[in-house]
Amino acid sequence: MSSTTGLKKSQLKSLGRILPSDGLVVAPHEKLIYGADAGGRCVMPWAVVRPGSVDQVREIMRWAGKEKVPVIPRARGTNVVQACVPHRGGIVLSCLKLNRILSLDSRDFTAHVPPGVITHELQQAALARNLFYPPDPASVRVCTIGGNINTNAGGMRALKYGVTRDYVLGLEAVLPGGELIRTGARVHKNVVGLDLTSLMVGSEGTLGIIVSAWLKLLPRPQCSATLLACFSQEAHALNTVDSIFAAGVLPSAMEFLPREVLQCLSGYASMPWPAGTGAALIIQSDGTGPGVEEEMSRIRLALEKTLHVDLARQEDEERIWEFRRLINPASFRLGPDKASDDVTVPRGRILEAVEGIRAVAREHSLPVLVFGHVGDGNLHTNFMYDSGIQGMRQKAGLARRDLISLVLGLGGSMSGEHGVGLSKRHFLSRQPGPAALRLMREIKKVFDPDNILNPEKL
Amino acid sequence: MSSTTGLKKSQLKSLGRILPSDGLVVAPHEKLIYGADAGGRCVMPWAVVRPGSVDQVREIMRWAGKEKVPVIPRARGTNVVQACVPHRGGIVLSCLKLNRILSLDSRDFTAHVPPGVITHELQQAALARNLFYPPDPASVRVCTIGGNINTNAGGMRALKYGVTRDYVLGLEAVLPGGELIRTGARVHKNVVGLDLTSLMVGSEGTLGIIVSAWLKLLPRPQCSATLLACFSQEAHALNTVDSIFAAGVLPSAMEFLPREVLQCLSGYASMPWPAGTGAALIIQSDGTGPGVEEEMSRIRLALEKTLHVDLARQEDEERIWEFRRLINPASFRLGPDKASDDVTVPRGRILEAVEGIRAVAREHSLPVLVFGHVGDGNLHTNFMYDSGIQGMRQKAGLARRDLISLVLGLGGSMSGEHGVGLSKRHFLSRQPGPAALRLMREIKKVFDPDNILNPEKL
């Protein structure tokens, strides 16, 4: 493929004037990586632009608006739904040079952050000032605030602390044509006009290029503890979840690992649970020391017929969370490829959903691993397969289609945290409904009348 | 004023067919009350419609879309910004007959609620099942969920638990023309498409008639305690706020009462604080028993140079909250009328804001009471005056204008919870900025191309 397909020489020259030195990437071997994300598809971008200032972003968008060239914004590309793949061509706009925290105020409890800041870096900078930025996606050490905002990233702590949208107070964004808009404010409460801030969060780069965000911070919780509880039956684990909530405890995290996941882990490394374990919960509580101890003792009282219990405090907690992190590498024992979704169901229907997902897997003769954020009803579902075997990729696609039918039938959502991207675009007409979809498309036109921003996503 | 100005006889007949019996109100003495809200202005509606079903709402909106008749939705009208006054005429649509909780699920942690349900009624129904609906506006015993959603209501507990938007998972709404849309889902996490749910929350009835909402519930906290701390100086109170956060405590409520408020209360009823008290904090913590005790002991350690401290637990807490509630009746000792705002500033700039507001009041020779949710930076500001004295209303208006300049200069927002309505409409060009305002107006057109829904609000 030609390295600059889709761009005229004169257009490349204009981009070069806006972005001197290494701001413009045209060499195929350098720009290829910008055509992929963690969703497993790669399309060569026409060119990659790497602005180092808001002014450069504005100039690029002014140029792109005039030339009607598609722009696909991205940061670290850790999303798994092909949200920043330039599948119809266009230039990729990398936000990674906009990466210096602008302010972090320990009296205002706010941070002002450009999109290229790594989420973990912000968390650490906040902790150093006794502040706390709760959103904690699994990719926290590599993903960015800009990506988190564009996908409304969730994570383990969403049960108690909510998702990225709950922490975005205001945004600065550049529209196609180069106009800079400001939404919200640097205050914790604000009800002036329509909430453009929330609208832009989770919009997958389709409405504007976010160039900075005002984020809300909390006081830093001083202690935490994590409990691993293993059960013979899944119903015991899920009854335990109900009992914990009934005891007035809202854990910061609560993960459910059904039997297939435990078996897969046991086959991969040495695990602490006894044979016959059919389900496990990993539960975390945070707050003051005595508050955490009280919650942990209530959680222990709520446990129904356990086979194995382990409690870890502070630094020692990682020992338990390591089991959760091993699921991904261990999963590939079941097949070299995975068809991955992160469906959500009403919390009371989790067992029904897990059983239904197993039936779908059996129907298509595929191994499946289901696990996830049980407090939110958010289930990560991986059908494992081998794309080297003819017809297997199609089979996995059919299983995904049946999965989504199942979940929508249970009153759920086809995505709790990952979003739509290209990966679920063809399912989109099934969930929001035609009237809501029409409104979304018309709102998109308000921001981007020529459809140049991440076109055909959402 | 004629009772049906603006409506032809044939139009009234059509409405009568859609709404038999008491669903249509045309008698002036009956419909007058529907022309006012707590914002102190009243305009006679052309007619009042009181649908008893979603189908009736759809028929009304189909008719209104065809006839291009303005529709102003309302419930209990407790908002203070004239958000549901039909100032340019039109029919008022009362949601009060849609008032039966549709479901309340203690495993899903969701409620499905129509707009006319009183917020306190939902809270009580939730508590009876060991569930918790946190948003708690001051008018909770009379206001409705529909009004709360349309204004994105806040309240005392917003510091720890957030505002109404944080609890709305999905909506059903009827658009002009009668189309029913569904946004979001009945699940706790959902990132499919643009977030129309958040967009409709706080839209002051300008985008659609909300006919039901899926709300998120939490486990019920089992204990709470409230502390009253009185200081000689305001700086000591505000330093205390910083120290409490630094100790890792996020109280459920934290109210700041500066010296004018304490003086006004002392002149109104017997108060517990000694002479010379210059500021007070009311701080609430909730959670498990030991968790609350620990937070209260950390809060006590954080107190700087207090003159008086009182701690109350559970039922006894009302004794302290009563002082907060008395501010409103006591305020009228300073003047029979008030010009009321609820500005928000970055949390670290509260003392600066309070001093600045005093300077504005002096400038216009008006008494002022400032107090409020110090943890959020949300300050309720009341300039007191007598509208019977010539020129005083104008004076109060000028003071409000200067207040808003002050707050915007501090990086704040002109409203933290009350919204815009008619009351702040003429200030609107100053806060979101022209580019954001243009987007809001175009989004409004997407939902309501003929501008019949609560026209000229926002």
Side-chain angles (χ1 to χ4, degrees), chain A residues 370-405:
Chain A
V370 194
F371 56 94
H373 317 315
V374 63
D376 301 321
N378 190 187
L379 294 172
H380 292 280
T381 304
N382 298 318
F383 295 108
M384 306 306 298
Y385 67 99
D386 182 348
S387 60
I389 301 174
Q390 211 193 355
M392 287 302 276
R393 191 188 292 278
Q394 289 71 14
K395 216 177 208 185
L398 292 174
R400 289 187 66 212
R401 184 203 58 190
D402 292 352
L403 166 70
I404 286 170
S405 296

Side-chain angles (χ1 to χ4, degrees), chain B residues 155-230:
Chain B
M156 300 284 186
R157 292 197 284 243
L159 174 58
K160 179 169 176 180
Y161 290 105
V163 294
T164 301
R165 183 177 286 118
D166 301 312
Y167 294 86
V168 185
L169 302 172
L171 292 171
E172 287 187 307
V174 178
L175 303 186
E179 193 169 30
L180 182 75
I181 63 160
R182 289 189 181 84
T183 73
R186 56 183 285 201
V187 292
H188 284 213
K189 271 157 98 184
N190 187 9
V191 287
V192 175
L194 298 180
D195 185 1
L196 301 181
T197 308
S198 292
L199 185 67
M200 295 200 77
V201 176
S203 64
E204 299 191 2
T206 61
L207 301 184
I209 309 284
I210 290 167
V211 291
S212 82
W214 285 98
L215 301 174
K216 172 177 167 174
L217 304 174
L218 299 183
R220 176 185 183 168
Q222 307 216 321
C223 288
S224 61
T226 298
L227 183 133
L228 169 70
C230 299

Side-chain angles (χ1 to χ4, degrees), chain A residues 204-250:
Chain A
E204 299 191 2
T206 61
L207 301 184
I209 309 284
I210 290 168
V211 290
S212 82
W214 286 98
L215 301 175
K216 172 177 166 174
L217 303 173
L218 298 183
R220 175 185 183 167
Q222 309 216 320
C223 288
S224 61
T226 297
L227 183 133
L228 168 72
C230 300
F231 308 83
S232 62
Q233 291 176 40
E234 286 163 356
H236 297 163
L238 293 170
N239 291 340
T240 294
V241 171
D242 288 342
S243 304
I244 290 169
F245 290 134
V249 176
L250 183 63

